[in-house]
């Protein structure tokens, strides 16, 4: 809901701040007072095209700020704000500001953060509907008619959306399978060779590390064996260390009793011989443990090099070859069983399409019922609005298959015929702006319970009518305002009397500068303004009495 509007330096408005409540707010004033300026200024804040001609003469820039309340934390408005990086908590005002410079440049802001004019327009679609003499948005856009009819009829579109998603998923799976088979058919020869090659080689996960470790161990064992052989020459044989120690021990045995030191020397040599023998045994044990078959080293090296070469060939890591073999084998199996799989997927597409068509048919039937109800509801509003010769209908027609969607396969458009015998046409084909505004009012009243923008603005909807028709317009605007905020620019006292808030727009001049101002009227001032609207420049007692009766009736 629009809660406040601040305008500075727009055409004849020097500085203006207005606050709005819910319900029906009416704006009145003499012709030429500047009512359209107020709407043009609001349009700037809502993303309309920036025109430097709107900047007040002598000012550097024009600034318009519109404030809205945001009671809901979810919904399309909240989603749009979130998608564009604006985090606004429920209850926090949404402030849209537009600055237009005298040289034509403009800047937009949302809660004091820079925003494009396009974003302001997108936000405005969820906040305000403006219906004027030449409006071509809102209810006039056929793209939104289906959603309006669904809301009015409370149609159950979930089943159709679910069936559509299942159908499209089945079509996607079929297309992917066909593409895979087509690609695989082109590569069949290579695929068969690769599967055979990998199957013959039979790579295993972790095999590269196992082979590399074993190869390193065997290479090291080969070096150790050479070192042990060299040690053997030092210990064994007639000239080896142990043989010389044993010879020395035999000589010492003959002379050991000659001196105690010789006995000690013999004991030391005996110990050395014993330790040397232990060392011999340990080396034999190590040699047995480290023994390998040279052919095994050669075999492992060949396997390791082939493994790495195969991985390079298929552009994967050696440990991924086993998984690749499974993947290629699966592709080959799917290729060989492709026709059978395609047939199953085609059957799935046919089944899900049939399910979608049944759900869409049911939805279409609901829409036709809702269309009949809506046509009757609008028709009941036309005669009181002096449109008794006009006819309204909701067209529900089938779409081409390429246009089918989760919302079904119907095209919905509101059409009217303004004169007996005249053909039906879209709402935008109406020649008369007044007729168009009243048609929109009738449609809005019929759709009132289904919601829409939080604020609706009608610009001179009562142009060219008076008396009972104006009273009917006012009564319907008041009914509409029970569910949403409505602002109306009016020349009709019958409409003005229905307002819950009344703003008077006037133009003043000091002989040099002309300014437009807006004043919120109290009850006495309202009565005087409605009397002026009834009688003209000279307000009579009779006009005041009639104004009093209109206010009491409202």
């Amino acid at each position: 809901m629009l809660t406040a509007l601040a305008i500075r330096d727009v055409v004849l408005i020097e500085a203006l701040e207005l606050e709005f409540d819910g319900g029906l707010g009416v704006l009145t004033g003499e012709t030429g007072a500047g009512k359209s300026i107020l709407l043009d200024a609001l349009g700037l804040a809502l993303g309309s095209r920036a025109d430097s001609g709107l900047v007040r003469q002598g000012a550097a820039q024009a600034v318009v700020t519109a404030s809205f309340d945001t009671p809901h934390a979810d919904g399309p408005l909240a989603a749009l704000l979130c998608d564009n990086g604006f985090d606004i908590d429920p209850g926090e005002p949404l402030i849209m500001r537009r600055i237009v410079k005298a040289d034509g440049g403009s800047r937009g802001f949302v809660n004091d953060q820079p925003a494009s004019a396009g974003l302001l327009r997108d936000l405005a679609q969820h906040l305000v509907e403006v219906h004027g003499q030449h409006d071509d948005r809102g209810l006039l856009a056929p793209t939104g008619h289906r959603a309006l009819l669904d809301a009015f009829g409370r149609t159950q579109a979930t089943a159709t959306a679910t069936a559509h998603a299942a159908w499209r998923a089945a079509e996607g799976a079929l297309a992917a399978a066909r593409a895979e088979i087509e690609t695989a058919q082109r590569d069949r020869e290579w695929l068969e060779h690769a599967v055979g090659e990998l199957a013959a080689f039979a790579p295993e996960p972790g095999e590269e590390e196992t082979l590399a470790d074993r190869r390193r161990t065997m290479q090291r064992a080969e070096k150790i064996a050479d070192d042990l052989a060299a040690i053997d020459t030092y210990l064994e044989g007639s000239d080896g260390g142990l043989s010389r120690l044993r010879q020395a021990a035999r000589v010492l045995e003959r002379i050991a009793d000659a001196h105690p030191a010789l006995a000690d020397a013999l004991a030391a040599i005996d110990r050395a011989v014993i330790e040397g023998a232990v060392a011999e045994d340990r080396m034999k044990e190590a040699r047995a443990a480290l023994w390998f078959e040279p052919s095994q080293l050669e075999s492992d090296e060949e396997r390791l090099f082939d493994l790495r070469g195969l991985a390079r060939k298929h552009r994967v890591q050696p440990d991924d070859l086993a998984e690749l073999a499974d993947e290629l084998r699966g592709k080959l199996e799917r290729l060989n069983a492709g026709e059978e799989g395609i047939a199953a997927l085609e059957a799935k597409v046919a089944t899900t399409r049939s399910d979608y068509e049944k759900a869409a048919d049911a939805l279409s039937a609901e829409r036709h019922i809702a269309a009949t109800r809506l046509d009757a509801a609008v028709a009941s509003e036309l005669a009181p609005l002096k449109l008794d010769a006009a006819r309204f209908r909701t067209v529900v027609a089938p779409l081409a298959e390429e246009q089918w969607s989760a919302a079904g396969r119907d095209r919905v458009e509101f059409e009217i015929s303004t004169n007996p015998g005249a053909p039906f046409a879209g709402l935008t084909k109406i020649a008369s702006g007044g007729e168009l505004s009243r048609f929109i009012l009738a449609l809005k009243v019929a759709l009132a319970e289904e919601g829409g923008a939080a604020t609706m603005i009608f610009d001179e909807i009562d142009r060219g009518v008076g008396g009972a028709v104006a009273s009917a317009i006012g009564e319907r605007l008041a009914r509409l305002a029970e569910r949403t905020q409505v602002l109306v620019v009016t020349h009709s006292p019958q409409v003005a009397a229905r307002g819950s808030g009344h703003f008077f727009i006037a133009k003043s001049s000091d002989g040099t500068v002309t300014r437009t101002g807006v004043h919120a009227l109290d009850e006495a001032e309202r009565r005087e303004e409605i009397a002026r609207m009834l009688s003209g420049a000279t307000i009579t007692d009779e006009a005041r009495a009639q104004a009093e009766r209109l206010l009491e009736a409202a």
Side-chain angles (χ1 to χ4, degrees):
M1 183 182 78
L2 178 66
T3 58
L5 180 65
I7 304 171
R8 182 174 294 276
D9 294 327
V10 174
V11 192
L12 299 178
I13 300 176
E14 187 173 28
L16 181 64
E17 293 187 3
L18 297 175
E19 293 185 355
F20 299 95
D21 295 319
L24 176 60
V26 297
L27 296 91
T28 65
E30 295 180 356
T31 300
K35 295 184 290 297
S36 62
I37 298 175
L38 209 61
L39 297 184
D40 290 341
L42 176 60
L44 281 179
L46 300 179
S48 296
R49 186 176 67 86
D51 185 351
S52 60
L54 292 174
V55 180
R56 189 172 64 87
Q57 187 174 5
Q61 62 183 25
V63 183
V64 183
T65 304
S67 299
F68 299 86
D69 63 359
T70 55
H72 302 296
D74 53 8
L77 176 62
L80 181 60
L81 288 167
C82 181
D83 290 344
N84 286 275
F86 296 94
D87 186 14
I88 298 178
D89 296 327
E92 181 182 357
L94 174 63
I95 302 173
M96 299 168 64
R97 177 177 292 114
R98 190 83 174 279
I99 299 174
V100 180
K101 296 183 178 180
D103 61 9
S106 73
R107 290 179 295 159
F109 300 87
V110 173
N111 283 24
D112 292 326
Q113 298 181 51
S116 67
L119 176 59
L120 295 180
R121 284 193 296 273
D122 291 342
L123 292 172
Q125 290 181 2
H126 302 284
L127 295 167
V128 179
E129 289 182 18
V130 179
H131 301 293
Q133 295 293 309
H134 306 289
D135 182 51
D136 60 354
R137 298 170 297 167
L139 290 177
L140 304 189
T143 53
H145 292 176
R146 184 170 61 190
L148 288 169
L149 179 63
D150 284 347
F152 175 82
R154 292 180 171 86
T155 57
Q156 300 300 314
T158 304
T160 302
T162 301
H164 183 267
W167 175 34
R168 291 309 184 200
E171 285 191 324
L174 176 60
R178 283 174 172 164
E180 182 178 0
I181 288 175
E182 183 180 349
T183 302
Q185 286 285 11
R186 292 197 301 266
D187 299 334
R188 176 186 283 277
E189 184 176 346
W190 174 87
L191 193 59
E192 290 176 339
H193 169 75
V195 168
E197 181 182 43
L198 289 167
F201 194 85
E204 297 179 359
E207 186 177 3
E208 181 193 29
E209 185 176 357
T210 300
L211 289 171
D213 288 346
R214 200 158 66 200
R215 175 172 175 257
R216 282 192 295 270
T217 299
M218 287 191 287
Q219 286 175 332
R220 188 162 181 263
E222 188 176 35
K223 176 69 169 59
I224 291 172
D226 292 340
D227 291 339
L228 289 176
I231 293 172
D232 283 343
T233 62
Y234 300 145
L235 297 178
E236 299 294 335
S238 58
D239 291 331
L242 286 177
S243 178
R244 295 292 183 95
L245 284 174
R246 291 187 183 103
Q247 291 175 9
R250 285 194 293 270
V251 173
L252 279 173
E253 284 177 354
R254 294 197 299 270
I255 62 175
D257 56 355
H259 192 279
L262 294 176
D264 291 341
L266 176 60
I269 289 176
D270 285 341
R271 289 195 301 273
V273 170
I274 293 170
E275 291 298 325
V278 171
E280 264 190 323
D281 291 341
R282 291 291 180 268
M283 285 188 294
K284 288 178 182 178
E285 182 181 333
R287 186 180 289 111
L290 294 171
W291 181 90
F292 69 94
E293 177 62 45
S295 61
Q296 181 65 45
L297 173 59
E298 183 179 350
S299 174
D300 282 359
E301 285 185 333
E302 184 179 351
R303 174 80 177 176
L304 180 61
F305 296 153
D306 288 346
L307 181 71
R308 289 172 174 169
L310 196 59
R312 286 193 298 273
K313 177 179 178 179
H314 290 287
R315 298 180 181 178
V316 297
Q317 295 298 315
D319 282 349
D320 295 332
L321 281 172
E323 182 179 349
L324 176 65
D326 291 339
E327 179 184 338
L328 295 181
R329 185 165 51 251
K331 283 187 176 181
L332 187 58
E333 290 172 354
R334 288 193 297 275
L335 175 60
N336 293 332
E339 290 305 320
E340 181 180 347
I342 290 294
L345 288 172
E346 287 175 340
K348 181 69 175 294
V349 169
T351 300
T352 53
R353 177 193 171 104
S354 176
D355 292 342
Y356 169 74
E357 290 178 341
K358 290 176 183 176
D361 285 345
L363 179 59
S364 182
E366 288 187 65
R367 284 174 175 154
H368 279 90
I369 294 171
T372 301
R373 288 176 45 229
L374 179 59
D375 292 351
V378 174
S380 68
E381 299 291 336
L382 296 181
L385 294 174
K386 203 177 180 181
L387 294 169
D388 42 340
R391 291 171 298 155
F392 172 88
R393 74 179 182 185
T394 304
V395 176
V396 181
L399 288 167
E401 183 172 338
E402 61 270 15
Q403 295 176 295
W404 294 1
S405 69
R409 47 185 189 170
D410 298 316
R411 174 184 66 83
V412 176
E413 185 173 359
F414 301 145
E415 293 184 344
I416 58 170
S417 168
T418 55
N419 297 299
F424 281 91
L427 296 180
T428 55
K429 305 300 182 182
I430 300 178
S432 165
E435 285 182 333
L436 175 59
S437 295
R438 280 178 279 147
F439 250 114
I440 289 174
L441 177 60
L443 190 52
K444 269 296 179 184
V445 171
L447 294 168
E449 292 186 2
E450 313 316 320
T455 299
M456 283 188 285
I457 299 175
F458 291 89
D459 183 12
E460 299 188 0
I461 191 173
D462 49 9
R463 178 186 292 269
V465 299
V469 177
S471 180
I473 290 174
E475 189 267 334
R476 280 153 180 78
L477 287 170
R479 278 165 49 193
L480 199 58
E482 292 174 1
R483 297 180 175 88
T484 188
Q485 181 188 46
V486 178
L487 299 177
V488 57
V489 175
T490 181
H491 290 285
S492 167
Q494 291 90 341
V495 173
R498 291 280 182 173
S500 56
H502 193 148
F503 298 90
F504 178 69
I505 304 171
K507 188 162 58 176
S508 61
S509 175
D510 59 5
T512 303
V513 178
T514 301
R515 297 178 177 86
T516 290
V518 181
H519 174 60
L521 303 182
D522 59 24
E523 285 302 313
E525 290 170 327
R526 283 191 68 193
R527 188 162 39 253
E528 197 71 5
E529 168 61 4
I530 293 173
R532 181 198 65 78
M533 297 172 73
L534 286 165
S535 64
T538 303
I539 303 175
T540 64
D541 291 339
E542 182 181 353
R544 290 188 176 94
Q546 178 64 19
E548 183 68 34
R549 287 192 291 272
L550 284 175
L551 287 169
E552 289 176 355

